[in-house]
Structures are given as C-alpha cells and as structure tokens.
C-alpha cells in the first residue's frame, strides 16, 4: 500500500518519537485505508472462491456486508471507528491467512458481530436472529453476549436494543442503550452480558473479552496468553492507568495526551514470572497487550514502549522502511536472541522513546523522586544500547531509502539527548 510521500516535518517528528497530534491523525488515516483494503480483499476472496465456503456461512457473510453498508450510510464515523478497532485488524489478518475450510468459515462469521456492532452504534433499526458459532456474540469494542447454547434475537430502534436469548426459560433480555448517538456509545445490562470497561479519562477499553485479542497459541516466547474477566480486576487496572497518566502529565504532558488519543485498547495478559511483560500485534496497532504492571511507573513505561511499536508498524505499512525476506540477524543489547533488521528497527525505536522519556523524568522537578532516580539509571543503561542498534541499522543494506532517512533522524534525536542527564534536585 503506497501513499503520497509524507511531509518532511511529519517524518522527522515520528523518527524523533515526540508526540504530535498531526502525526496521530495521519497514522490513523493510513490505518483506516489499510483496513478498507484488507476488508475488500476478504470480500473478493470469498466471492472468488465461494464454492469452498459453506453455503450458510456465505449467506451470513453477505447479509453482514449489507448491514455494514447500511450502517455506514447512516453514520460513517461510527463504522470507521468499528473497523479501526485493533481486534478488527487481528481478525482480518487471521481470516486472510487461513486456508479454505471450516476454520476460515468460522472466521467469516465474525463479520456478523462487526456489522451488528456498527448497526447498533449507528442507531439502525434491526430485527434479526443470529446463532453465534461458539455460543457468544462478540461486539468489538463494546462487550459480549452469551447465547446460552442457542440463538439470539436482536431488536433495535430509537437508541435502544434488546438481545433475547432463544432458550427455554430465558431471563429478561439484555438491554443496550445508545447514550451518545454522535459517538455511537453503547452501555448494556442484562443476564449473560459482559461489557468492556473504559479506562479513566480516555476512550481506551480494557479488553479482556474479544476472541481475537491474543492469537490462539499466545504471543512471544514463551507464549503469553490472554487473561479473561475472572483474572482481571478493572478497578486495579484503572488505578494503574490513572497513576501512569498522572506521572506522564507531570513529566511529559504531550506523551500523556498521545496515549489517551492513540490507544484504543489495553489487553490483559496472564502473568508469566515476577515482571510485567508487554507486547504489540502488528495486525492490531492501537492495542497494548500486557500483564498487570507493578505500579504507575511500570505502566507508564509499558504504554510508551508499546505505543511506539504500534506507530512504527503503521508507518511501515504506509512507507516501507526495510526489505522483507532477508535472512540476516543482528545482536542487540536488550534481547538475548538475534533479531532480523525489522526487529532491530522496532526495538531501537521503542527504546529511543523510552530514553527520551527517562531523560525528561530524570530532570523534571514535578516527577516523583524515586522515578527521577530510576529514570536516570535506566537512561544510562539504555542510551548506549540504542546507539549501537542505530549503528547496525545505518550500516545495513536492508533498509529502504526512506528507512535509512528515518534511522538517520533517529540518530540525530539520540545524539540530542546527550550523555547522562543531571537529576533534578
């Protein structure tokens, strides 16, 4: 996917890891264009090979597509928001990579939940019956309704939707209320309903429900797996988020604002060892996957680190920064295993953002004294490692011309950070 060249100022600002509202808007636009491209690719594939798709699944996919179009004609901003939700990207990547067969058919039924979410948030009138394949209807970015082993009837209109499980002795229906028609904000209540929690002062969701939030085999080595509602205390996560925002607001207000506006979801992972571990899915930028951080400082650093993985993944789709398929691997200071050039670039970029943050924290009078002290130590530890990684990048022939310019701008910012910062008194 190629776009017009980025404005030089935006490209430089992104390489410096410094937050800027225009950069976030540009990356969001690029993300949306890619989502539309991938969705169209899935539609073409389904139509081109419809004989390999179960007939009932094909009909449901077509009905869902038409419902999505109807919602888009009513409120395009809401539909864009649903399509740009991180887990929609994870679903598209999984569906497009799956060979024809029952597994692909199961992926295709996911469009039903996406279309229903868009229609409900756009305040479309509805009267339809669904049979979720796993007994649960997932509404991305909103919540999940358990069907109780049967079908679900959904009736909606005039800002109110009712979901009726069609099982014997069913309880009263779940009621979803559209509290903000312009933003498409839904809140729900009822038996079998689990709604997503919104993190304080933002629109980001604490997403411990979406079936595509973590790959089935986990992420990373050793594999880290998704936490569910039974493992997640929203009050604790909200406190960590609020504490991280307060730290960043006193240290680097621009980063605090960027996180509030750029992150769409925080996905809890089950803990693996004493330290929290974060991750980002390339197919789902805007989502941070992490086990529960130890405190506000750990949360702030995780959010900054993972957000920059998301930003670089989106930028690379917009402007390729390195060539795929090379076999060469390189050693970097922050990992025990050798990394391909894309991994070196990703790691250098995310750690450059952290060194920038740590320098500011170490010299900020408003930052808590313990963070000022640890930030100075972390800066000392990481600054040289980032410099070594930048040398690897600039000596490599695996970067594109744009990638080399990007790495050069990263090096300029790295040099501007200087040596060890002088801690504030």
């Amino acid at each position: 996917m190629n776009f017009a060249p980025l404005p030089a100022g935006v490209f430089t600002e992104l390489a410096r890891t410094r937050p800027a509202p225009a950069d976030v808007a540009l990356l969001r636009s690029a993300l949306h264009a890619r989502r539309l491209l991938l969705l169209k690719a899935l539609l073409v594939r389904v139509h081109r090979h419809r004989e390999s798709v179960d007939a009932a699944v094909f009909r449901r996919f077509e009905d869902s597509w038409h419902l999505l179009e109807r919602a888009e004609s009513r409120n395009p901003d809401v539909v864009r928001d649903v399509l740009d939700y991180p887990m929609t990207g994870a679903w598209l990547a999984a569906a497009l990579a799956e060979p024809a067969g029952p597994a692909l058919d199961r992926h295709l039924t996911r469009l039903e939940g996406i279309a229903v979410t868009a229609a409900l948030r756009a305040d479309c009138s509805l009267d339809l019956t669904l049979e979720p394949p796993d007994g649960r209807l997932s509404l991305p970015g909103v919540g999940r309704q358990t069907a109780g082993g049967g079908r679900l009837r959904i009736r909606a209109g005039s800002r109110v939707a009712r979901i009726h499980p069609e099982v014997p002795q069913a309880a009263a229906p779940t009621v979803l209320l559209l509290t903000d028609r312009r933003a498409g904000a839904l809140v729900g209540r009822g038996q079998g309903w689990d709604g997503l929690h919104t993190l304080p002062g933002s629109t980001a969701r604490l997403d411990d429900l979406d079936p595509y939030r973590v790959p089935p085999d986990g992420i990373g080595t050793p594999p880290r797996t998704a936490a569910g509602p039974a493992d997640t205390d929203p009050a604790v996560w909200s406190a960590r988020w609020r504490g991280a925002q307060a730290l960043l607001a006193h240290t680097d207000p621009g980063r605090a604002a960027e996180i509030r506006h750029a992150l769409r979801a925080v996905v809890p992972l089950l803990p693996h060892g004493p330290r929290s571990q974060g991750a980002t899915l390339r197919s789902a930028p805007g989502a941070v996957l992490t086990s529960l951080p130890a405190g506000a400082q750990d949360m702030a650093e995780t959010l900054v680190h993972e957000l920059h993985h998301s930003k670089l993944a989106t930028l690379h789709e917009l402007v390729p920064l390195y060539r795929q398929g090379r076999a060469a691997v390189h050693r970097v200071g922050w990992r025990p295993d050798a990394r391909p050039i894309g991994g070196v670039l990703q790691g250098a970029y995310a750690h450059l953002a952290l060194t920038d943050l740590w320098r500011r924290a170490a010299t900020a009078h408003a930052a808590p004294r313990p963070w000022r002290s640890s930030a100075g130590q972390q800066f000392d530890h990481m600054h040289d490692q980032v410099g070594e990684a930048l040398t690897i990048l600039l000596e490599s022939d695996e970067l594109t011309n744009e990638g080399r310019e990007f790495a050069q701008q990263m090096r300029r910012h790295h040099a501007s950070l200087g040596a060890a910062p002088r801690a504030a008194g």
Side-chain angles (χ1 to χ4, degrees):
M1 182 179 67
N2 293 316
F3 291 82
L6 283 177
V10 172
F11 199 69
T12 300
E13 202 71 42
L14 285 168
R16 293 178 60 241
T17 76
R18 294 302 305 154
D23 300 351
V24 172
L26 185 145
L27 292 178
R28 278 189 171 178
S29 178
L31 172 67
H32 184 64
R34 179 161 177 80
R35 286 289 161 82
L36 294 179
L37 183 68
L38 294 178
L39 193 61
K40 182 63 179 293
L42 184 61
L43 176 68
V44 169
R45 181 187 177 191
V46 168
H47 278 256
R48 186 173 294 164
H49 304 287
R50 61 176 298 175
E51 71 283 351
S52 64
V53 178
D54 179 84
V57 171
F58 181 83
R59 287 194 299 273
R60 291 168 66 176
F61 185 86
E62 287 285 279
D63 290 344
S64 299
W65 189 276
H66 295 318
L67 180 58
L68 195 61
E69 290 179 327
R70 182 155 71 93
E72 201 274 341
S73 67
R74 186 172 180 86
N75 191 332
D77 290 340
V78 159
V79 175
R80 175 175 181 155
D81 196 61
V82 175
L83 294 181
D84 292 353
Y85 190 65
M87 273 46 91
T88 304
W91 162 70
L92 278 167
L96 287 167
E98 191 70 53
L104 175 59
D105 288 350
R106 285 193 296 273
H107 286 310
L108 295 180
T109 60
R110 164 71 166 189
L111 186 62
E112 216 162 44
I114 292 171
V116 168
T117 303
L120 294 177
R121 291 186 56 190
D123 201 21
C124 294
S125 59
L126 291 178
D127 188 350
L128 71 163
T129 300
L130 308 177
E131 189 170 358
D134 60 353
R136 293 171 173 173
L137 176 64
S138 176
L139 305 181
V142 179
R144 181 182 69 188
Q145 176 68 44
T146 300
R151 301 189 301 173
L152 295 171
R153 185 171 185 183
I154 303 175
R155 294 178 174 179
S158 300
R159 302 177 69 166
V160 177
R162 290 177 173 82
I163 305 177
H164 305 256
E166 290 192 345
V167 295
Q169 300 177 341
T174 290
V175 176
L176 300 179
L177 178 64
L178 190 64
T179 58
D180 183 335
R181 181 178 276 123
R182 182 174 175 273
L186 284 171
V187 295
R189 182 175 59 187
Q191 184 173 328
W193 172 254
D194 294 300
L196 294 181
H197 296 268
T198 302
L199 292 166
S202 75
T203 59
R205 302 293 195 263
L206 181 66
D207 198 333
D208 54 359
L209 296 174
D210 197 288
Y212 287 88
R213 66 193 186 277
V214 178
D217 296 331
I219 185 170
T221 304
R224 286 155 283 173
T225 54
D231 314 300
T232 306
D233 185 340
V236 173
W237 282 87
S238 292
R240 296 285 195 279
W241 172 274
R242 192 181 292 111
Q245 282 288 317
L247 276 181
L248 292 172
H250 287 116
T251 306
D252 196 342
R255 290 203 188 279
E258 181 180 52
I259 285 170
R260 287 195 305 273
H261 293 117
L263 285 186
R264 299 289 308 279
V266 173
V267 175
L269 299 176
L270 291 174
H272 187 89
R275 298 178 59 188
S276 65
Q277 294 178 310
T280 304
L281 292 176
R282 180 177 172 181
S283 61
V288 168
L289 289 63
T290 182
S291 52
L292 181 65
Q297 175 183 326
D298 191 11
M299 176 66 118
E301 292 169 356
T302 297
L303 294 175
V304 170
H305 182 95
E306 299 302 335
L307 174 61
H308 282 78
H309 282 314
S310 274
K311 288 167 65 174
L312 191 61
T314 305
L315 178 64
H316 179 64
E317 297 291 350
L318 179 62
V319 181
L321 302 174
Y322 55 89
R323 300 174 183 88
Q324 304 283 2
R326 299 292 186 92
V329 291
H330 312 271
R331 294 282 177 183
V332 291
W334 52 82
R335 287 187 66 126
D337 55 332
R339 306 293 290 151
I341 201 68
V344 176
L345 180 58
Q346 276 282 358
Y349 188 63
H351 285 96
L352 179 61
L354 283 178
T355 56
D356 180 281
L357 173 67
W358 286 328
R359 182 171 185 82
R360 291 167 189 274
T363 57
H365 290 275
R369 185 179 294 274
W371 196 25
R372 295 204 304 266
S373 175
S374 67
Q377 296 170 5
Q378 289 171 303
F379 179 94
D380 288 345
H381 176 69
M382 189 56 62
H383 186 262
D384 288 346
Q385 293 185 13
V386 172
E388 292 167 0
L390 288 170
T391 297
I392 292 172
L393 291 168
L394 290 170
E395 291 179 351
S396 171
D397 64 354
E398 300 170 87
L399 298 182
T400 63
N401 290 337
E402 293 79 7
R404 182 167 299 280
E405 180 186 349
F406 193 77
Q408 288 169 345
Q409 294 292 349
M410 288 172 62
R411 169 165 275 181
R412 290 189 182 97
H413 186 57
H414 177 263
S416 76
L417 296 177
R422 178 176 298 176

